[in-house]
């Protein structure tokens, strides 16, 4: 048997879970019990969240960490540390309040006035500015009359630091006088944040946080202490003054009047190396379009700041960690395409994280909701709405792609998940989110979060909740499942038939013509074509031969755009020479010469890829059925997940045939199957997943798995139930609630509307045919543990709520007892939960028996 499958069957897996653990001042006495609770959940690591700890890196912190590390070491657990006192990373534990102020972040801001010529010996006032602000350039640009477009070469104006006026002659026509200042005046709450463009400034974070931890805990580094976690560092470009309209933190970037842009003199040096002579004279084009130079100037600037981030922030932190035997991980803000912009992110997803040992993303604040891939939906984020296309078709794939392309990451793709969904986020939703990530290739997880006191209104749910969380048993089952699934999938080669070009440069150069990556991504994924997302940097260095490039991609899809860097033309030529087709969606960039048949309309893209023989046709009818193919040695597996809000029945055509094992790793249910031609029949409930494993077992081993249950006769059961209630965390004994009752919503209008806890159901079932018996409840809110004649049949945390009870039943009367747990939302009624639907509590709907 394949060793990896054998280890799962023997419950011997590695750990892929490192939940946040929020540690507050003054809670040291509770630490041993809290760490034990994390251990009991199945997580074998955790990340200490320092945000609520006021005395971070002071004496109290070291005493707290002494206890945490000792408790983790006792249990063979590993500890990660969030790398700053305040969120997001960059505060550097306030060190810059007491250091050289020039190490703080610097931005560019512009001020302008329009002047009409001809006018000899004209003058204008030098705009008001703070003493610490420095004038970088003063130039005159001609206006074309088309909106605020500029034209021609800049005319440099002579302005000295002490001048209050600038004098010049205006040629004929309308001109705009620009003053570009270097300033420290970013967001007030981040005025002492480090500058990711400056290696000296970034080192202050190492000096303030990383080195003190090494000084205290060198003996733990590389064993109990696993590494550091950067949480959502960003350029944080603010909007300034009255110029332009603020389009929000997700959209701030080049081409936005009024946005202050990150800056260091090193950026000008970088731009000059890119062929921009005297780059400071052309800075106004970063805000206002030029009829010829827009793409060139904005690309040079964005290349400069994103590459400086990579060189001076991401790699120094990663290199320091690796030199000290630990790892560096974390994530940026990716929301709504912010990953390619400057408002709250790093301008380029791949460059922003390139120095890390895992790729990283997060899914919090209702960004992904089950079944809603085709819709924009309400969420507790900036603007109050999320775009399903980005979150379903790009976010997870960014992490998985980067992890496979960066050797340091070695396939490790991480997601921070569950946070700020509210107490309404039951184990069923969490299971859905985990499968959503697993099928996209994410394999390490930071559940958000364990806390050290209850109640805490800060971004629930908090697992365990000091004994008040009815969902903790379900969460624990889920964590064990995730470790099994990630253990099986991690290290296997995940198929991506082709790659889609990352859209960052196209957007920087000409946003109006640049199609977002998610457009072709959705077209492909809804047709069961899996892809990686590749940046130009990767394309430039990837090996190209024999009809493949990189990690075996058979084609490249280029989202529609008019502008891409000139180097793309050489990349494109190299791909074609290697026999790799390049498909341009709708239209192509100006830098390439292509034939008409290389342009593919978006609506025909998936069909064109399949008709070209470049991707397998699974013949799935449901477009939200996700299929990921993994190979490891002789074994080929298919992770199949039904993301649709409805049950599906599919006859899939797989690219392999023979004997297989259908594995439900959540419930430990396995069945053998066989296909002569790759055809496999699957029936999946909404949110259900299965792994089909080929070539992992010998014929004798395969025969040892049970056959899939087929041809069962279904009968609906009419029975009455005795129902008892116990409020989790408040009561130790069940209290009678209903006798001889029909099933109904326990927290509905006619029930206990604010009840959160356990519901015990008891009844008797008469069963005559006991050769093979399965019991199913149509609806459960949310988790259910079944006992038949006193025998524990296991817990179900999501659909299908179905058990094989053959080994427990007897002919005649059988005692059935079900323990159901809902969420804390009914009791807590928290703000975050207002964005989620609360399912009916308890057992509702039909009860069915399936017999041979």
């Amino acid at each position: 048997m394949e060793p990896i499958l054998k280890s799962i069957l023997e419950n011997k897996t590695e750990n892929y879970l490192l939940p946040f653990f929020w540690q507050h001042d003054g809670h040291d006495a509770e630490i041993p019990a809290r760490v034990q609770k994390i251990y009991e959940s199945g997580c074998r690591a955790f990340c200490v969240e320092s945000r609520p700890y006021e005395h971070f890196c002071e004496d109290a912190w070291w005493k707290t960490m002494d206890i945490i590390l000792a408790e983790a070491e006792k249990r063979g657990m590993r500890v990660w540390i969030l790398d700053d006192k305040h969120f997001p990373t960059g505060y550097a534990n306030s060190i810059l309040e007491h250091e050289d102020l020039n190490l703080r972040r610097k931005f560019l801001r512009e001020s302008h006035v329009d002047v009409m010529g001809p006018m000899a010996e004209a003058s204008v006032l030098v705009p008001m500015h703070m003493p610490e602000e420095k004038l970088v350039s003063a130039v005159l640009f001609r206006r074309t009359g088309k909106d605020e477009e500029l034209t021609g070469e800049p005319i440099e104006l002579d302005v000295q630091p002490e001048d209050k006026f600038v004098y010049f002659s205006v040629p004929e026509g309308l001109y705009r006088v620009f003053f570009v200042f270097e300033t420290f005046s970013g967001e007030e709450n981040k005025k002492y944040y480090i500058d990711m463009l400056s290696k000296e400034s970034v080192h202050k974070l190492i000096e303030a946080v990383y080195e003190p931890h090494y000084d205290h805990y060198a003996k733990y580094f590389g064993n109990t202490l696993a590494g550091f976690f950067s949480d959502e560092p960003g350029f944080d470009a603010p909007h300034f003054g009255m110029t332009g309209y603020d389009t929000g933190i997700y959209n701030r970037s080049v081409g936005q009047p009024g946005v202050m842009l990150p800056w260091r003199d090193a950026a000008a040096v970088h731009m000059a190396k890119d062929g921009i002579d005297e780059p400071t004279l052309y800075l106004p084009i970063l805000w206002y379009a030029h009829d010829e130079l827009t793409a060139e100037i904005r690309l040079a600037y964005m290349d400069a700041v994103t590459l400086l981030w990579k060189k001076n922030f991401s790699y120094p932190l990663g290199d320091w960690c690796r030199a000290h035997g630990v790892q560096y991980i974390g994530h940026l803000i990716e929301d709504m395409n912010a990953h390619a912009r400057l408002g709250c992110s790093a301008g380029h997803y791949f460059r922003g994280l390139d120095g890390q040992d895992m790729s990283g993303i997060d899914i919090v604040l209702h960004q992904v909701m089950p079944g809603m891939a085709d819709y924009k939906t309400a969420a507790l984020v900036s603007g109050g709405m999320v775009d399903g296309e980005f979150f379903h078709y790009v976010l997870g794939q960014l992490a998985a792609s980067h992890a496979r392309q960066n050797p340091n990451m070695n396939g490790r793709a991480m997601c921070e998940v569950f946070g700020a969904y509210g107490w309404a986020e039951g184990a069923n939703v969490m299971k859905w989110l985990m499968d959503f990530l697993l099928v996209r290739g994410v394999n390490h997880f930071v559940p958000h979060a364990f806390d050290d006191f209850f109640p805490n209104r800060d971004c629930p749910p908090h697992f365990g909740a000091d004994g008040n969380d009815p969902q903790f048993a379900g969460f624990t089952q889920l964590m064990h499942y995730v470790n099994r699934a990630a253990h099986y999938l991690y290290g296997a080669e995940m198929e991506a038939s082709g790659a889609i070009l990352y859209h960052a440069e196209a957007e920087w150069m000409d946003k109006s013509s640049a199609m977002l990556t998610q457009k072709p991504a959705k077209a492909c994924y809804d047709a069961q074509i899996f892809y990686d997302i590749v940046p130009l940097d990767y394309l430039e260095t990837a090996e190209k031969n024999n009809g493949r490039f990189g990690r075996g991609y058979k084609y490249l899809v280029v989202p529609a755009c008019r502008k891409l860097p000139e180097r793309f033309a050489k990349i494109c030529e190299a791909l074609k020479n290697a026999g790799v087709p390049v498909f341009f969606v709708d239209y192509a960039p100006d830098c390439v010469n292509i034939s008409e048949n290389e342009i593919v309309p978006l609506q025909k893209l998936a069909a064109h890829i399949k008709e070209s023989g470049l991707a397998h046709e699974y013949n799935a009818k449901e477009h939200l059925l996700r299929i990921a193919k993994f190979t490891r040695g002789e074994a080929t597996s298919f992770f199949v997940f039904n993301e649709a809000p409805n049950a599906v029945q599919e006859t899939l055509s797989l690219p392999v045939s023979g004997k297989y094992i259908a594995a439900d790793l959540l419930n430990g249910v396995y069945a053998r199957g066989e296909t002569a031609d790759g055809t496999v029949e699957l029936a999946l409930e909404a949110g259900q997943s299965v792994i089909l494993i080929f070539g992992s077992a010998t014929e004798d081993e395969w025969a040892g798995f049970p056959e899939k249950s087929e041809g069962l006769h279904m009968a609906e059961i009419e029975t009455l139930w005795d129902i008892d209630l116990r409020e989790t965390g408040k009561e130790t004994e069940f209290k009678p609630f209903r006798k001889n009752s029909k099933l109904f919503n326990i927290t509905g209008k006619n029930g206990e509307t604010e009840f959160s806890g356990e519901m015990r159901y008891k009844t008797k079932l008469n069963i005559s045919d006991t050769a093979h018996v399965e019991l199913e409840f149509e609806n459960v809110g949310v988790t259910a543990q079944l006992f038949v004649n006193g025998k524990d049949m296991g817990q179900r945390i999501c659909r299908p709520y179905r058990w094989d009870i053959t080994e427990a039943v007897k002919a005649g009367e059988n005692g059935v007892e079900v323990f159901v747990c809902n969420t804390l939302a009914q009791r807590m009624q928290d703000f975050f939960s207002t964005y989620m639907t609360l399912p009916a509590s308890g057992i509702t709907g039909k009860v069915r028996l399936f017999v041979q």
Side-chain angles (χ1 to χ4, degrees):
M1 181 177 292
E2 184 188 15
I4 201 81
L5 179 58
K6 187 173 185 290
S7 68
I8 290 170
L9 294 172
E10 295 174 350
N11 202 27
K12 298 176 181 177
T13 67
E14 299 295 330
N15 178 69
Y16 302 85
L17 300 159
L18 46 143
F20 278 148
F21 173 46
W22 286 9
Q23 181 62 45
H24 295 77
D25 299 56
H27 287 240
D28 288 1
E30 296 94 337
I31 289 173
R34 304 297 183 188
V35 174
Q36 178 62 22
K37 205 68 177 175
I38 298 172
Y39 184 87
E40 290 173 2
S41 75
C43 302
R44 296 295 181 259
F46 56 93
C47 182
V48 180
E49 167 82 69
S50 49
R51 173 157 64 105
Y53 202 100
E54 182 58 32
H55 300 288
F56 179 65
C57 286
E58 298 177 22
D59 288 346
W61 173 257
W62 306 125
K63 291 176 183 178
T64 297
M65 285 303 302
D66 288 346
I67 301 170
I68 288 174
L69 288 165
E71 292 297 324
E73 185 180 36
K74 283 180 193 176
R75 296 166 177 82
M77 302 174 74
R78 307 197 77 199
V79 177
W80 300 78
I81 298 173
L82 207 72
D83 70 350
D84 214 337
K85 178 176 182 177
H86 291 315
F87 159 90
T89 290
Y91 181 60
N93 199 26
S94 76
I95 193 172
L96 289 191
E97 292 185 39
H98 319 289
E99 298 281 342
D100 180 1
L101 293 182
N102 281 315
L103 294 177
R104 291 178 295 160
R105 293 176 170 183
K106 295 181 180 180
F107 295 93
L108 295 177
R109 70 171 181 88
E110 67 86 20
S111 182
H112 62 262
V113 60
D114 293 321
V115 294
M116 181 64 76
M119 183 183 299
E121 299 186 37
S123 65
V124 297
L125 287 166
V126 175
M128 295 177 62
H129 55 282
M130 302 294 290
E132 66 176 14
E133 292 185 314
K134 168 187 165 186
L135 184 64
V136 176
S137 66
V139 296
L140 194 66
F141 265 107
R142 186 178 176 89
R143 300 269 306 275
T144 66
K146 178 183 177 183
D147 296 325
E148 295 183 273
E149 185 181 66
L150 310 176
T151 189
E153 292 294 319
I155 300 171
E156 186 174 11
L157 303 179
D158 182 18
V159 185
Q160 301 303 313
E162 67 277 7
D163 288 349
K164 296 181 179 180
F165 302 89
V166 57
Y167 300 92
F168 55 95
S169 293
V170 186
E172 183 178 355
L174 182 63
Y175 282 77
R176 179 165 286 183
V177 183
F178 287 98
F179 299 90
V180 180
F181 293 94
E182 179 186 280
T183 180
F184 293 103
S185 300
E187 296 179 1
E188 177 64 23
N189 65 339
K190 294 176 182 173
K191 66 180 180 180
Y192 293 115
Y193 266 54
I194 60 169
D195 185 349
M196 281 71 170
L197 301 181
S198 163
K199 186 173 289 188
E200 294 75 20
S201 183
V202 170
H203 193 269
K204 291 299 177 181
L205 174 61
I206 295 174
E207 181 182 324
V209 177
Y210 288 64
E211 289 177 345
H213 280 88
Y214 186 74
D215 290 342
H216 281 82
Y217 303 119
K219 68 176 183 179
Y220 287 120
F221 268 56
N223 44 77
T224 302
L225 204 157
F228 292 89
F229 186 111
S230 281
D231 199 14
E232 299 186 359
F235 280 122
D236 300 307
H239 190 270
F240 174 81
M242 299 294 292
T243 306
Y245 298 93
D246 188 7
T247 55
I249 59 171
Y250 298 152
N251 296 303
R252 293 176 196 155
S253 198
V254 289
Q256 301 258 330
V259 171
M260 294 167 59
L261 301 173
W263 183 252
R264 281 272 164 179
D265 290 343
V269 173
H270 199 288
M271 293 174 72
K273 288 180 180 177
D274 273 358
I276 309 299
D277 293 332
E278 297 185 282
T280 56
L281 302 184
Y282 294 88
L283 292 177
I285 299 172
L286 299 180
W287 292 279
Y288 296 94
H290 189 283
D291 60 354
E292 292 181 349
L293 301 175
T294 300
E296 179 184 0
I297 300 301
R298 292 179 183 176
L299 173 66
Y301 167 78
M302 289 297 291
D303 269 343
V305 295
T306 55
L307 289 168
L308 285 170
W309 171 297
K310 172 180 171 178
K311 175 184 175 183
N312 293 335
F313 177 75
S314 183
Y315 267 99
L317 293 180
D319 289 344
W320 186 95
C321 286
R322 287 183 283 274
H324 290 79
V326 296
Q327 292 184 342
Y328 173 52
I329 65 173
H331 78 99
L332 308 167
I333 290 182
E334 313 91 6
D335 305 16
M336 307 288 283
N337 311 299
H339 55 86
R341 299 166 189 163
L342 304 174
C344 55
S345 198
H348 191 289
Y349 175 83
F350 295 88
R351 293 173 180 174
L353 299 181
D354 219 39
Q356 294 188 175
D357 294 290
M358 298 183 191
S359 64
I361 57 172
D362 79 349
I363 293 178
V364 296
L365 292 164
H366 320 98
Q367 292 166 341
V368 173
M369 295 293 282
M372 299 186 185
D374 296 328
Y375 303 93
K376 295 182 178 180
T377 56
L380 192 58
V381 296
S382 179
M385 180 276 295
V386 294
D387 181 356
E389 283 190 354
F390 168 73
F391 287 103
H392 285 75
Y393 299 94
V394 169
L395 182 59
Q397 287 86 342
L398 279 175
S401 301
H402 199 190
R404 291 191 282 267
Q405 294 161 17
N406 183 316
N408 282 339
M409 296 174 180
N410 194 31
R412 293 182 292 260
M414 178 276 294
C415 181
E416 174 192 329
V417 65
F418 303 152
Y421 270 65
W423 289 113
E425 185 184 25
N428 58 336
V429 176
M430 293 182 185
K431 162 63 164 57
W432 193 100
L433 288 169
M434 284 301 197
D435 280 345
F436 173 93
L437 291 163
L438 286 162
V439 79
R440 286 162 171 78
V442 178
N443 47 44
H444 288 71
F445 305 91
V446 180
H448 183 312
F450 282 88
D451 201 352
D452 62 352
F453 76 91
F454 174 84
N456 185 354
R457 295 184 178 184
D458 193 349
C459 298
H462 301 127
F463 316 125
D466 204 17
N468 287 272
D469 181 12
Q471 290 291 292
F472 188 69
F475 173 80
T476 298
Q477 182 180 352
L478 176 61
M479 294 301 97
H480 286 284
Y481 161 70
V482 170
N483 268 337
R484 287 191 291 271
H487 187 67
Y488 186 74
L489 301 176
Y490 175 65
E493 185 70 16
M494 185 176 181
E495 182 185 69
S497 60
I500 300 175
L501 181 65
Y502 181 53
H503 71 248
E505 286 87 352
E507 180 179 293
W508 303 341
M509 298 175 76
D510 184 9
K511 185 175 182 179
S512 65
S513 74
M515 175 183 282
L516 297 172
T517 304
Q518 50 258 47
K519 294 298 183 182
K522 177 173 172 56
C524 289
Y525 206 37
D526 283 352
Q528 288 77 43
I529 299 173
F530 195 76
Y531 47 84
D532 276 355
I533 298 170
V534 296
L536 276 174
D537 299 350
Y538 177 82
L539 275 176
E540 204 162 33
T541 60
E543 187 175 347
K544 309 168 186 71
N545 55 53
N546 298 322
R548 306 287 179 100
F549 74 95
R551 53 177 297 266
Y553 309 120
K554 294 183 281 188
Y555 56 88
L556 176 69
V557 174
V558 181
C561 59
R562 293 298 184 198
K563 298 292 182 183
L564 277 176
E566 288 295 329
R567 61 191 176 116
F568 176 72
K570 293 181 180 179
I571 293 169
C572 193
E573 183 178 358
L575 288 171
K576 292 179 183 179
N577 289 339
V580 178
V582 180
F583 303 131
F584 296 91
V585 179
D586 289 348
Y587 47 85
D590 298 341
C591 65
V592 296
N593 294 313
I594 63 168
S595 60
E596 189 174 325
N597 62 5
E598 292 176 272
I599 294 178
V600 183
L602 178 62
Q603 64 270 25
K604 295 182 179 179
L605 177 63
H608 186 75
I609 291 171
K610 289 181 179 180
E611 289 165 3
S612 301
L614 298 171
H616 181 70
E617 176 58 81
Y618 287 95
N619 291 316
K621 300 186 296 292
E622 172 54 63
H623 75 284
L624 296 182
L625 187 72
R626 310 306 190 192
I627 305 171
K629 179 185 175 186
F630 295 83
T631 56
R632 180 191 285 107
E634 299 299 315
T636 300
S637 302
F638 301 87
F639 190 109
V640 186
F641 175 43
N642 178 23
E643 285 184 16
N646 49 272
V648 298
Q649 286 191 319
E650 295 279 3
T651 302
L652 296 181
S653 176
L654 304 180
V656 297
S657 59
K659 295 177 172 64
Y660 65 90
I661 300 161
D664 172 2
L665 297 183
L666 174 65
N667 299 308
V669 177
Y670 301 85
R672 70 176 189 261
E674 187 171 8
T675 172
D677 59 359
T679 299
V680 172
E681 305 252 355
L682 277 185
L684 296 175
E685 293 286 343
Q688 188 180 359
S689 63
V690 65
I691 303 179
L692 306 177
I693 304 171
F694 290 79
S696 184
T698 66
E699 188 158 343
D700 287 345
E701 290 167 339
W702 172 82
F705 288 93
E707 290 187 77
K708 183 179 178 182
S709 301
E710 293 180 343
L712 299 180
H713 173 70
M714 186 270 288
E716 292 185 8
I717 301 298
E718 295 291 342
T719 186
L720 299 178
W721 300 79
D722 292 342
I723 307 173
D724 306 320
L725 305 181
R726 178 170 64 189
E727 191 155 10
T728 305
K730 289 189 173 185
E731 299 170 335
T732 58
E733 302 295 329
F734 281 96
K735 295 180 179 179
F737 180 59
R738 294 283 192 275
K739 291 287 186 182
N740 295 319
S741 172
K742 293 183 177 181
L743 298 175
F744 69 103
N745 180 7
I746 300 296
T747 55
K749 287 184 178 180
N750 299 317
E752 296 291 324
T753 58
E754 298 186 6
F755 171 81
S756 290
E758 297 167 86
M759 295 150 274
R760 181 174 65 189
Y761 293 77
K762 291 183 178 180
T763 195
K764 302 287 187 182
L765 293 181
N766 281 300
I767 300 174
S768 56
D769 188 347
T770 61
H772 184 95
V773 187
E774 297 182 12
L775 177 63
E776 180 183 69
F777 301 119
E778 183 178 18
N779 299 311
V780 173
V782 174
T783 67
Q785 187 166 11
L786 174 68
F787 292 80
V788 176
N789 295 325
K791 184 175 181 61
D792 186 355
M793 308 309 300
Q795 179 178 237
R796 299 290 183 266
I797 66 174
C798 61
R799 285 178 171 159
Y801 294 93
R802 185 167 176 170
W803 294 259
D804 182 340
I805 60 174
T806 306
E807 65 182 47
V809 297
K810 59 185 179 181
E813 189 173 78
N814 292 265
V816 175
E817 188 174 25
V818 193
F819 292 85
V820 178
C821 294
N822 66 350
T823 72
L824 262 174
Q826 277 76 15
R827 186 199 308 177
M828 302 304 294
Q829 301 162 36
D830 64 289
F831 176 61
F832 295 94
S833 292
T834 61
Y835 283 83
M836 296 191 68
T837 304
L838 305 182
S841 296
I843 303 173
T844 57
K846 298 173 182 177
V847 180
R848 303 183 180 102
L849 271 182
F850 295 83
V851 296
Q852 201 85 52

